Amino acid sequence: MTYVPAKLRELIIQRAGGCCEYCRVSQESSDISFQVEHIIAVSHGGKTVENNLALSCPRCNLFKGSNIAAADPQTDEPTFLFHPRRQQWQDHFRLSGAIIEPLTSEGRATVFVLHFNDQERIDQRELLLQFGQYPCA
Ligand SMILES: [Zn+2]
């Protein structure tokens, strides 16, 4: 993992309001520290700068890894993953209860690669919903 200076980390965490910028779970509701991740991975030439960094929960970050694109599961066309700095979450996803529904090809590719709707993740978000802790504001 590439070193992100403490000041920059803090800025990314504050900018995200402590929310995973992919699945909208809050750091507050998690026992495990969220990670500042490179949207375009360092191995793909991504830089450690504000507009290439996002706050991610450990699950989203684990599945995303260095991925930046995938086949759209509906069309099989290559498509980039959701880019939290250049795109708005609500333009690409919507919530149906605790299920994250994709609205676009980027949304579909991201839901697939990041395993947004694995049953255990839906169950976790369902529980948070019941306690008024999801989605992260
Ligand atoms: Zn997440």
Side-chain angles (χ1 to χ4, degrees):
M1 195 182 282
T2 304
Y3 175 72
V4 178
K7 248 186 161 168
L8 188 53
R9 280 186 60 81
E10 194 50 43
L11 187 132
I12 304 307
I13 293 166
Q14 277 187 11
R15 182 178 63 189
C19 304
C20 174
E21 298 190 67
Y22 295 99
C23 73
R24 312 304 304 169
V25 163
S26 72
Q27 169 69 81
E28 244 176 17
S29 66
S30 174
D31 301 337
I32 309 165
S33 282
F34 282 15
Q35 294 148 358
V36 171
E37 69 104 23
H38 289 75
I39 300 166
I40 309 293
V42 172
S43 59
H44 293 292
K47 306 273 193 298
T48 303
V49 293
E50 276 181 58
N51 65 6
N52 189 44
L53 295 170
L55 188 63
S56 175
C57 74
R59 284 194 173 111
C60 285
N61 200 21
L62 174 73
F63 290 122
K64 182 169 176 288
S66 64
N67 291 307
I68 55 175
D72 175 344
Q74 190 171 302
T75 64
D76 287 337
E77 291 297 316
T79 180
F80 285 112
L81 300 180
F82 170 67
H83 191 303
R85 294 283 73 76
R86 296 184 188 153
Q87 297 169 318
Q88 297 292 315
W89 196 90
Q90 60 272 18
D91 291 340
H92 295 273
F93 311 97
R94 73 171 169 221
L95 286 173
S96 173
I99 295 170
I100 300 173
E101 294 180 343
L103 300 172
T104 61
S105 58
E106 289 97 332
R108 288 189 293 270
T110 304
V111 165
F112 175 74
V113 172
L114 274 62
H115 293 242
F116 277 174
N117 293 321
D118 281 4
Q119 192 58 51
E120 86 172 293
R121 300 191 72 183
I122 293 173
D123 292 347
Q124 181 209 15
R125 293 195 301 265
E126 187 67 51
L127 203 63
L128 294 174
L129 254 177
Q130 287 173 19
F131 288 101
Q133 294 179 351
Y134 185 80
C136 186

